[in-house]
Each structure stands twice: as structure tokens, then as C-alpha cells.
Amino acid sequence: MSENTEPVVSVVVIVYNDAGRLPTAVQSVLDQTLRSVEVVIVDDHSPDRSFEVAQQLAAAHPGRVRAYQLPENSGAGGEPRNLGITKCAGQYVMFLDSDDVLERNACRNMLEAAQRTGADMVSGLCVRTFIDSRNGKIDKWYEWLYRSTRVLETVHELPDLFVFDTLSTNKCYRLDFLRDNDLRFPKGLLYEDLLFAARAYLAARRITLIPNEVYYWHVREKASEKSVTNRRHELTNFTDRIEIHRRIDALLREGGHDELRLAKDVKFLKHDLVLHLRDLPFRDQDFRHRFAELARGYMAGMDDAAYDALLPIHRICAYLLMQEDWTNLITAVDTLINRSKVSSTLTERDGRIYWCAEHLEDPRAREILDVTELGYHTHKVDAMVLRNALTSYDQDAKGVQLSGRIVNPLGVIPPGAKLSAELEFKARRKSLQQFTFPVRRVEHNGDFIGWSAEAELASRLRPLGFIDAVWDVRLVLSVDGRKTTTRLTVGDTPLEERERLRSRPRLTRLVSDTLVPEVSAKGHLAFQLVAAGPVSRRSRGAIDQALRGAPGAVARAGVRRVKQVRKDLKSGVTKIRAYHEVFLKLPVRKGTVVFESHLGKQYSDSPRAIYEEMRRQGVKFTPIWSYAGKPDGFPQDAELVRRWSWQYLRALAQAEFWVDNQSYPVKLAKRPETTYIQTWHGSALKKMGFDSPEFRTRTKDQQAEQQKILDRFDHFLVRTEHDVRTLVPAFRLPESKVLRSGYPRNDALVTAWKKETEGGARDRGPLAEELGIPDDRKVLLYAPTFRSGPDGKLRRFEPPFDVEEFADRFGDRYVLLMRSHYLNNVVLPPSVRGRVIDVSGLHDVTPLYLMADALITDYSSVMFDYALLDRPILFFAYDLDEYVNSLRGTYFDLVKHAPGPVLQEKDELFTALDDLAGTDIAWADARKRFVAEFGEYDRGDAASRIVDTFFRRGSQK
């Protein structure tokens, strides 16, 4: 932009005591691809060189950068921005903080959107970038709001925008819009963005959202000086937040915006309040009391509906704060911060479980404190994470002396249990460094388990110097052989340091030689390895020289060797070699069956049906289930092994049977004595195996390698002759391996259909109640096929229709169950809660089939299974031409054979749903033809036939 060119966009950059980072922020504006941009710097009367640097930038970029300074410090970001608004020459205004930057195309993208749509304000995606994170951590700020371009005539069309995206900095405003509505930031108050954004949203006649990244918010978690809004130990911080919310409430009340008020209150309780509650365990009683008075004065006017929309732990904390029940609140905050932790002793009354025994005379309190549905009373001690409160801390030159008490909820640890424990000190960064110390006293004290221990850290703990700088402390408690690992919650226990605790690092003591106790971000005891005093420049130079020279090379080589050993032990190459050279030479364990479903991600499908039929028939066998990730949801009466673990490899090598529905790891050979029953996971519409374009383009060697994998199958289950014509040749399987048994997973569907046909009532099953589905709502199951990104990699599934529009249109008639493919995941906005439910995390799809009144799919094999129920199926094939012609190709024409309407537009889908009964009748004959052609062997007895054929040979108990 030349000096004579009028700017179109003005970017107001505010700064306070940030001379070092200001030039970077300004440069991010000067580097914009839109050239007609000016920078208006406003300094909030900084005591450092910030204004001097601002003036230098203005001198270096005349006509593009101007600098101003407030006559005195305002104490917040509002007044600098207000001054900036009055100095802007552009038609549009944006705001930038001096420690953040704009995305290079931000101004261009937002300006184009504003001019194209005539919006008063345009909002884009803010990305929180954690500057001091080792792994480049980022957080896209409420990304689900910005999936696509949207034009709103009023913020009421998207209340979540008003509630959640309260930033002023990821937005572009028409300057006349700000002036005409007298939109200014509040003076001298923190959280000024919240009020400004609320006023702007309510005043805007049109708001445009764009799916582009526009603002990079730099987060420095390890900064020595916290930002103003992060100083939650200062009561004025919470005072200002409350005042801002009161002013927003007044706006909403005056305008009659009751829906927005309720949504805002929920967000206050779930987010704003929680930020301050996290800090309460470290504050004194006077601070807590004054904080509670402020909170109570504001929260007393909230509707009960706001509390009802919260998670149980949020409700509990809010209620206990109002009661100033500090004993129970402080423990509840521990669970609030560490969601999986049980921090209360809990209490049982009248068959219900409550967070605490107090306040239960109040009916409303009983509702709030009832945690029965969380299932704490069903958990064994080794499945619980228990609060372990540090009750005393002392240290001397040799080590530390600790004591604490572990909560015993509902007496899960019985009085006569055999108890033992050990302290574990483990380096936070991944390394082989871990040290344990025995706990000398562990005793049962009713609601708590008391313990004391001493750890001589000086002589035993040997850090790797600056590599193992932070050490976490855990106590591993053994109860009758069952173990649970606890972290040590510090709370208000002072970490006294009577004497300096020296350490002997393995690398160098010049950088750090002292262990100092600290409190982690989640309130737990940890130790930081530091230098005893300031390291001189000369010493630092010597250290740097040593690290660059021979001693440093030796040290680095040693660390690399340690890491390489660990890496080699865990590497796939090592495990594959051990599998073939060691494990396959071990004898086969007769009666051992290894089950796996969808690469270990689920306990589901035909492997599950076969396993449960074997249990039902009383077959004597040794079951082993593979799991990926966590073993939650897998059967407790089977041995569970993590996929690719050493136990997993040994189990596969020694198993008599493999039962799976996809593929065991491709590099693992199957011994001849092992029988591999491949149940597969669905009939095929899409081209599969060697029929798919991907396989046809592979080299002969690659195809031969793939054939070796498929040749491991000893038996391959099919449910129709269509499978014999498609899947069998696609996998190049001989006829002798084909089992025309039907799919065991579909036995339940056939049984349900027969029951309904014979006049029996449809049973939704217990899952409907668990999901909170009202009896008067019909259930739709949306189960699309796998979707990959343009590069073929896994990606989050984006619903091809607006789920909020669906919920608004059909929410009084239908509940939509959204089940993405197990290789995808889906993120739903909070606004559709209860009307659209993500059920992707449920292992088994069969209960969803049985519950659903209709299915919506595209090209997924779920069509073949659900058709067995003879219920409506709608095919939302919005990319049909691309899918058939450009992607995988299909074995038959879906439009001709589909047992339901094939719809390519959202409006067509919604119209069909408006008359679901008519759709059902119109396609009844087509469904019968479809089942006859594609489900002929599904007769309801597949699991029993498989068990009788392979597992009943003299193996019955």
C-alpha cells in the first residue's frame, strides 16, 4: 500500500509491556496478502520500551503504521482498543494482541467474505498455539462452528456462536457498524471481549462465518509472569468476570433473549466458574469465603435448567460452592480437574449413591448430589483412580518424608484386605528412568487408607541432568493383589524445605543439582531438577563448550543409546522377528482362541457373537480378546491382550484358532496347526481386494505379498451367493474355504424380525433408556461408510447435512443416532444434544439396529444387515457419481437394487423423512427382493453352526 492509498482494513494492535514481541505481531499484518491494510498501534502506557518500539515501527513504515499511547495505564485491554477504533482510517477493523499474530491471508479472506455477503461482522477460526509445547500442540477454538461458510441474519440462528466464541480478535467489523451502534469495550475491566462480542452479536444485521484460520493465539503455559486474565489468585479477576456477565445479562434481559441467557448461564457454570474453582484448593479461607460470596450473589438468580444441563461433577461443585461446604468442595474440585478420579468417600442411601452424606435433607440437593448413574458402586478397586491427599511433607539433605490418605469410596477396600504400597518416582519425559521406594506404613482407617513413607532420593535417584528435569510421584497401592495407581494431591499441605535436597545427575551437575518440590498443573506433587544458585555466564559458557565438545558428545551418545535400546525393544521389526524366530517355535495351546474385531478397536460383530455362543453352550476353551487403546467394554471373563504387545504376539503364535473379521497384522505368518476363521465384516457394494483400483495398480511383488496375507484364511464366512461372486474371487479364495453359514452377528436381527412378524412387540432394549431417548420419538440411525481425506489418510467425518437444521426440523419427532465408521470420528455441536447423539463409541452396532426405526446410509455394508429387519432404509448418496466413477467402483447399480430411495440432495432426504411411513410402504417389496438376493444364508443360526462345526469336538464341560 503506497502512502497515498487509503487502507481498506485497519488492524488495531494493543500492547502493554511487550516490546520484544510487538514487532512480530505488526509484521504479521504488514505481510498480509491484502496490501491495503494499515496498523494502528496503541500502547497502554507501558513502563518498558513498548511505545518507543511502536514509534520506531511507525517511522520504518510511514503510511502503513501509526502509533499512539494512552496518557495513563487503563489496567485492561478495552481502552486501548477504544482509542484504536477512533484512529482507524479503513472501512473495516480488526484487533490483534501484541503477543499473537494474524494468519497471512486473514485480512483478504475476511474482507472478501464481508463484501460478498454484506455482513456487519465476519468471524474466522482462531488457533491456539502452545509456544512452549515440545510437540507443537495446537487447539482450534470451537472448530465445529467453522466447518463451512455460513451467513446468519441474526445470532439467534446459531446461539452457540454467541455463547462460545466470545473473542474479539478473530473477527472483522465494518467500521460504520461499530460507530452507528456505539460499540466500545468496557473501561478498566478484564474479560472485555465477552461484553463487546455480546453487544456486537446482538446488534449485527448479518454475520458471516468462514472456515479459514485467521488468528494465531500464542499460549505460553510456562511463562514466569501470567497474563492478566490468568491471574486467578487475584480476587479482582473473578470480580471483573462477574461484572461483565451481569452487564451481558442486562443486555439479554432488556432484549428478551431468554434462550441466549440460559445457554450463557450454562457456559458460565461449565467454563468460566470452573477456571476459578481449579484455583481454590490453593487459596486461604478468607479468599474462599469472599469468592463464594461473589459467586453466590451472581449464581442465585440462575434458573435450575442451567444446572440440569451440566455434567454431574459441575453441578456438584457449583452447589457445594453455594453452600460454602469447603471440605466436600475441595475434593470435588480434584475430580473436576482430574475427571477420572474418585475423590469422595461417597455415601449410599435408599439404594442410591450420593457424592457426600451432607445436605441430603434438601430434595434439590439430592438431585444434584446423586451420582448413581456414574456407576462408581460397580467398580473394583483396580478399575478406580482414587484421590490420595498429601497430609504432610518434610525433606532433608537425604530425601523426603511423606504421609497421606487415600479415599476409600463405598468401602471398596474392605477392612480385612491385605495392603501394601510403594512410591514410584518417574521422569515425566519418556525415558527408562524410574525409581521405587517401599511404603513403610499402610493401614485401613475406614473411609481412608493412611500411609507414610521415606524416600532417600539423594543417594538413589539419578536423573539424566537437563534431560530428566521433572519427576512425577505416584503411589501404587496393592489390595489383595489388585493394584491401583494414585497421584499425590498437594492441596494446602505446605511443601517445607528444611534443607537443600541434593541430586547426582548422570550428565552434569553444573546445570542442575537440586530437587525442588512443586505442584503440577493438575495439583499433584512433582519435583523439578534445578541449579542451586544462578549459573554464571562463564560457567554457562563452559557448559556449552563441554556439550559441544568430547564430553558432550559422549553424554549425547549415551542418551541416544539408551533411547535406541528402548526404541528397538518396542519396534515392529524386533517384535516380528521374535514372533517368527521364538514364539512360533512354542507349542500350540489346545483350546486357545484369539478373537479380534475391527483391528482390536471393538468387542463386536461376528467374533463377539461366536464368543458369546461358545459361552452360552458351555464350551470349554481359553478365550483371548485383542484390544487397541483401552480394554474398556471388552469381556471380563476372557484374557485381554493389547494389540501388538508381546503378550498378543505370543497368544497368536500359540493359538489353536484365530477368529476375526478383518485381518490380523499383515506381517505375522499363521502356523499350519492354527485354524483361521475369517468372519469378514460385510457384503460388498464397493469393489474389494484385487478388484479395487488400488490393488490393480500394485506391482506383482506387492500383489504376491497381499495374497500371502489372504492365504492365511482357512475358512471364509459368506451370507449370500453375492459374496461368493464378489468377495471370494476378489480375495482369490478357493471354493473349499467358503462357509455358507450366514453372519453370526446377524442372528439377533433375524430373531427380532421373526418375533415381530409373528406379532410380537418391538423391543427397543435398554440402550434407548441409557441414551435418554423419549418413548414418543422414533429413532433414525445414520451409518455412513468410511471416508478418507484427499491424501487417503483418516480424517474426522463431516456430516453431509447440517445436523442443527435436522434437529430443529425433526427434533420433536426423531432422535438421530450418528455412527461414523470405526476408522472415522465425528464432532457434534452442543446445540443438538439429545436430538442428535454420537454413538460411534459403542462397540457393537447390533443394539442400534434393533432400536432404530429406520436407517440412513450411503454405500456402507450396513444396508445388507439392516434389511433383515424389514424396516425403512434411505440412501443419502450425495456423491454417488464421484464414488462410483472416481473412487472405488461398485459391484452392482445401487439405484436399481437399493431397498429404499437413493437421494442425492439434502432436501430430498428431509422430504423423505417427513413421510417416513409412506416411504416404508412404497419400498416394502424392494426390501423383500433385496433380502432374498443378499441375505439368503442369514437364517438366525450362524453362530451355533460355527460353534458346532469347530468347537464342540469333545470340548463340552
Side-chain angles (χ1 to χ4, degrees):
M1 185 179 73
S2 67
E3 293 187 22
N4 298 323
T5 303
E6 289 295 323
V8 180
V9 177
S10 298
V11 179
V12 176
V13 182
I14 63 169
V15 60
Y16 177 73
N17 253 16
D18 201 18
R21 290 184 291 228
L22 176 61
T24 301
V26 171
Q27 195 62 46
S28 76
V29 183
L30 298 176
D31 289 342
Q32 288 290 300
T33 54
L34 179 70
R35 303 306 298 164
S36 52
V37 178
E38 71 163 351
V39 183
V40 178
I41 306 173
V42 182
D43 172 54
D44 197 6
H45 207 85
S46 303
D48 73 347
R49 296 181 58 253
S50 292
F51 186 55
E52 181 183 341
V53 171
Q55 291 176 311
Q56 292 171 354
L57 289 168
H61 303 281
R64 296 203 68 190
V65 179
R66 290 179 285 132
Y68 303 90
Q69 186 182 46
L70 291 179
E72 59 183 20
N73 179 252
S74 68
E79 275 294 82
R81 290 193 183 120
N82 290 338
L83 176 60
I85 292 173
T86 66
K87 302 298 182 181
C88 288
Q91 301 170 35
Y92 294 88
V93 182
M94 296 173 62
F95 300 108
L96 173 65
D97 292 345
S98 61
D99 53 348
D100 301 328
V101 295
L102 294 181
E103 193 276 334
R104 192 165 179 264
N105 300 293
C107 292
R108 178 181 298 280
N109 288 333
M110 300 184 91
L111 176 64
E112 288 179 351
Q115 293 177 335
R116 184 179 68 254
T117 63
D120 288 330
M121 55 189 293
V122 177
S123 189
L125 184 61
C126 171
V127 180
R128 299 176 76 214
T129 305
F130 292 78
I131 300 299
D132 45 18
S133 169
R134 293 194 306 269
N135 55 6
K137 176 184 173 184
I138 65 169
D139 172 30
K140 295 186 177 182
W141 189 256
Y142 299 112
E143 182 183 12
W144 48 267
L145 290 171
Y146 296 97
R147 293 199 192 103
S148 60
T149 299
R150 299 185 62 171
V151 180
L152 309 174
E153 299 302 323
T154 168
V155 75
H156 286 273
E157 295 178 22
L158 186 59
D160 286 342
L161 181 65
F162 181 91
V163 172
F164 292 102
D165 189 357
T166 56
L167 300 178
S168 66
T169 49
N170 60 331
K171 297 171 178 63
C172 179
Y173 312 85
R174 190 167 53 82
L175 182 58
D176 286 345
F177 162 68
L178 298 183
R179 290 173 174 167
D180 293 346
N181 290 279
D182 194 27
L183 289 178
R184 295 293 185 270
F185 291 86
K187 298 179 180 180
L189 288 174
L190 304 179
Y191 307 107
E192 67 281 349
D193 274 22
L194 275 68
L195 181 57
F196 180 84
R199 294 187 63 203
Y201 281 139
L202 294 174
R205 292 171 298 175
R206 182 169 294 168
I207 304 165
T208 298
L209 309 184
I210 61 175
N212 308 86
E213 296 179 0
V214 298
Y215 193 90
Y216 295 128
W217 174 359
H218 289 168
V219 181
R220 295 170 176 84
E221 293 184 309
K222 300 176 183 176
S224 57
E225 184 174 345
K226 297 294 184 183
S227 65
V228 176
T229 52
N230 281 326
R231 297 175 194 164
R232 284 182 280 275
H233 59 283
E234 300 174 2
L235 199 60
T236 54
N237 191 296
F238 188 57
T239 304
D240 282 4
R241 190 186 287 272
I242 292 291
E243 177 58 28
I244 289 291
H245 275 274
R246 289 188 188 280
R247 296 188 187 187
I248 295 174
D249 291 344
L251 284 174
L252 297 176
R253 187 167 50 251
E254 291 167 7
H257 307 295
D258 294 340
E259 178 190 3
L260 293 179
R261 169 70 188 275
L262 176 60
K264 187 202 72 70
D265 285 349
V266 172
K267 199 251 188 173
F268 175 87
L269 295 171
K270 288 179 64 174
H271 175 75
D272 301 60
L273 180 64
V274 167
L275 291 175
H276 294 270
L277 288 177
R278 293 167 64 100
D279 198 55
L280 279 187
F282 310 107
R283 307 277 73 86
D284 60 30
Q285 284 300 114
D286 180 60
F287 181 99
R288 293 176 183 176
H289 173 66
R290 289 189 291 152
F291 178 87
E293 284 188 322
L294 284 169
R296 188 164 47 242
Y298 178 66
M299 293 162 55
M302 289 186 180
D303 195 289
D304 283 349
Y307 288 86
D308 294 339
L310 303 177
L311 292 174
I313 191 61
H314 287 98
R315 284 198 299 269
I316 290 167
C317 286
Y319 176 82
L320 294 174
L321 174 64
M322 297 284 279
Q323 305 302 314
E324 288 200 56
D325 181 349
W326 301 114
T327 300
N328 287 310
L329 174 60
I330 296 305
T331 58
V333 168
D334 200 1
T335 293
L336 185 69
I337 300 171
N338 304 278
R339 200 62 59 84
S340 61
K341 185 185 291 188
V342 184
S343 60
S344 170
T345 58
L346 307 177
T347 188
E348 182 175 359
R349 187 172 298 183
D350 301 326
R352 307 295 293 178
I353 307 300
Y354 296 95
W355 183 260
C356 57
E358 292 76 14
H359 317 292
L360 297 183
E361 68 283 352
D362 177 4
R364 180 59 177 164
R366 286 201 299 273
E367 292 177 9
I368 292 174
L369 299 173
D370 191 330
V371 293
T372 308
E373 303 309 318
L374 297 180
Y376 292 136
H377 57 290
T378 67
H379 296 167
K380 303 291 186 184
V381 68
D382 55 350
M384 304 178 86
V385 178
L386 303 177
R387 172 179 166 89
N388 186 352
L390 192 68
T391 55
S392 71
Y393 176 94
D394 198 3
Q395 76 173 51
D396 53 29
K398 294 182 179 180
V400 295
Q401 301 82 46
L402 310 172
S403 64
R405 61 180 198 170
I406 303 170
V407 70
N408 183 20
L410 300 172
V412 67
I413 304 173
K418 182 179 179 181
L419 304 177
S420 63
E422 62 181 12
L423 280 177
E424 177 183 278
F425 287 74
K426 189 173 184 179
R428 185 172 297 175
R429 294 187 65 178
K430 294 180 180 178
S431 76
L432 296 177
Q433 293 280 88
Q434 178 176 319
F435 301 90
T436 58
F437 301 86
V439 174
R440 56 181 169 82
R441 179 184 69 86
V442 187
E443 59 187 25
H444 199 293
N445 296 325
D447 287 339
F448 299 94
I449 306 299
W451 62 271
S452 300
E454 297 179 357
E456 294 189 357
L457 302 180
S459 60
R460 287 199 53 206
L461 192 143
R462 299 295 308 279
L464 293 174
F466 51 84
I467 292 176
D468 284 344
V470 181
W471 291 76
D472 292 312
V473 189
R474 296 173 175 84
L475 184 142
V476 181
L477 176 68
S478 177
V479 181
D480 291 331
R482 293 177 176 268
K483 292 185 177 181
T484 181
T485 300
T486 67
R487 299 290 297 272
L488 277 56
T489 299
V490 176
D492 55 5
T493 299
L495 301 181
E496 300 287 351
E497 301 177 53
R498 288 191 293 116
E499 297 183 55
R500 175 182 167 193
L501 178 54
R502 288 186 174 273
S503 178
R504 296 186 299 151
R506 297 178 188 274
L507 293 184
T508 173
R509 300 184 192 179
L510 290 174
V511 176
S512 50
D513 64 351
T514 300
L515 285 168
V516 176
E518 65 175 23
V519 183
S520 74
K522 293 197 172 184
H524 299 133
L525 179 65
F527 286 87
Q528 176 83 34
L529 188 63
V530 301
V535 180
S536 69
R537 182 177 299 177
R538 183 174 180 180
S539 297
R540 175 64 66 184
I543 294 168
D544 292 341
Q545 184 176 357
L547 290 175
R548 289 194 298 268
V554 172
R556 288 193 297 272
V559 173
R560 283 196 296 269
R561 281 194 297 271
V562 170
K563 289 184 175 181
Q564 189 60 47
V565 168
R566 184 188 64 186
K567 184 177 179 180
D568 288 345
L569 287 172
K570 294 182 177 181
S571 74
V573 173
T574 300
K575 289 183 173 180
I576 291 170
R577 184 164 58 245
Y579 174 85
H580 290 97
E581 296 179 4
V582 179
F583 293 155
L584 282 183
K585 292 179 170 58
L586 298 174
V588 170
R589 295 165 59 194
K590 289 294 184 180
T592 298
V593 187
V594 178
F595 297 90
E596 185 170 291
S597 178
H598 293 307
L599 309 177
K601 296 179 184 294
Q602 297 177 356
Y603 171 57
S604 66
D605 212 81
S606 292
R608 173 176 180 167
I610 294 171
Y611 169 77
E612 292 180 349
E613 179 65 18
M614 293 171 73
R615 285 296 193 197
R616 190 187 69 79
Q617 291 193 27
V619 175
K620 185 178 180 180
F621 69 117
T622 302
I624 300 175
W625 267 93
S626 153
Y627 70 91
K630 294 183 178 180
D632 300 341
F634 285 82
Q636 297 302 307
D637 56 354
E639 180 183 348
L640 306 181
V641 294
R642 185 187 297 275
R643 202 170 195 264
W644 269 115
S645 67
W646 290 106
Q647 295 89 338
Y648 173 78
L649 297 177
R650 180 165 182 165
L652 284 178
Q654 293 190 271
E656 184 180 3
F657 290 94
W658 291 1
V659 180
D660 117 294
N661 66 354
Q662 191 157 342
S663 176
Y664 288 105
V666 297
K667 298 290 186 181
L668 304 183
K670 181 188 72 69
R671 65 200 307 165
E673 304 96 315
T674 300
T675 299
Y676 189 168
I677 302 173
Q678 174 55 255
T679 69
W680 202 238
H681 52 273
S683 297
L685 166 65
K686 308 173 287 265
K687 294 289 182 71
M688 302 292 292
F690 287 98
D691 291 342
S692 68
E694 175 192 357
F695 275 70
R696 288 199 298 269
T697 58
R698 292 183 179 180
T699 66
K700 287 185 177 180
D701 289 344
Q702 289 173 329
Q703 291 192 12
E705 190 67 26
Q706 184 65 31
Q707 190 61 56
K708 286 182 182 178
I709 298 168
L710 298 170
D711 286 344
R712 296 181 302 176
F713 301 166
D714 293 303
H715 303 284
F716 186 82
L717 274 57
V718 299
R719 61 198 298 270
T720 169
E721 285 302 307
H722 168 73
D723 295 346
V724 178
R725 295 190 300 270
T726 55
L727 292 175
V728 172
F731 296 151
R732 297 179 180 174
L733 301 173
E735 172 68 24
S736 60
K737 294 188 177 184
V738 177
L739 280 180
R740 292 172 170 81
S741 61
Y743 281 169
R745 73 182 186 196
N746 287 339
D747 291 348
L749 304 182
V750 175
T751 300
W753 172 77
K754 289 179 179 178
K755 178 183 175 181
E756 291 179 26
T757 303
E758 294 167 0
R762 181 181 300 179
D763 182 9
R764 277 184 163 184
L767 184 58
E769 185 175 351
E770 291 176 24
L771 295 175
I773 299 175
D775 293 338
D776 62 345
R777 302 290 196 278
K778 287 188 176 296
V779 177
L780 304 177
L781 173 62
Y782 178 44
T785 191
F786 166 69
R787 304 280 171 169
S788 63
D791 55 1
K793 294 182 179 179
L794 304 184
R795 65 179 174 89
R796 195 180 71 207
F797 173 67
E798 300 287 352
F801 54 86
D802 190 328
V803 294
E804 291 174 307
E805 181 182 356
F806 173 92
D808 291 340
R809 181 165 173 175
F810 298 108
D812 60 340
R813 286 181 282 167
Y814 301 131
V815 171
L816 179 65
L817 304 181
M818 184 81 68
R819 185 177 177 83
S820 62
H821 190 278
Y822 67 91
L823 291 176
N824 294 133
N825 68 296
V826 65
V827 177
L828 298 175
S831 57
V832 300
R833 186 183 295 112
R835 297 174 293 174
V836 182
I837 304 173
D838 179 16
V839 292
S840 305
L842 298 177
H843 281 245
D844 198 355
V845 72
T846 300
L848 300 176
Y849 289 152
L850 296 172
M851 182 169 46
D853 295 286
L855 170 72
I856 305 171
T857 187
D858 45 15
Y859 322 105
S860 172
S861 63
V862 299
M863 70 175 83
F864 300 102
D865 303 326
Y866 191 80
L868 297 170
L869 290 168
D870 192 25
R871 300 175 191 171
I873 304 177
L874 289 77
F875 294 85
F876 188 37
Y878 57 91
D879 57 353
L880 179 63
D881 293 338
E882 178 187 8
Y883 199 90
V884 172
N885 300 319
S886 305
L887 299 176
R888 292 277 290 275
T890 60
Y891 285 116
F892 60 86
D893 188 336
L894 178 64
V895 176
K896 289 182 179 179
H897 291 80
V902 178
L903 313 165
Q904 293 187 259
E905 299 293 336
K906 179 262 296 180
D907 291 341
E908 293 179 317
L909 173 64
F910 285 7
T911 299
L913 291 174
D914 269 326
D915 186 20
L916 190 59
T919 302
D920 183 11
I921 295 171
W923 290 89
D925 291 341
R927 288 198 299 273
K928 290 181 173 59
R929 291 194 299 270
F930 189 82
V931 172
E933 182 175 0
F934 297 107
E936 58 200 287
Y937 299 133
D938 280 327
R939 295 184 288 263
D941 60 352
S944 62
R945 292 172 65 188
I946 295 300
V947 173
D948 290 344
T949 301
F950 294 101
F951 303 109
R952 297 286 297 181
R953 299 167 301 184
S955 61
Q956 190 172 10
K957 288 183 180 178

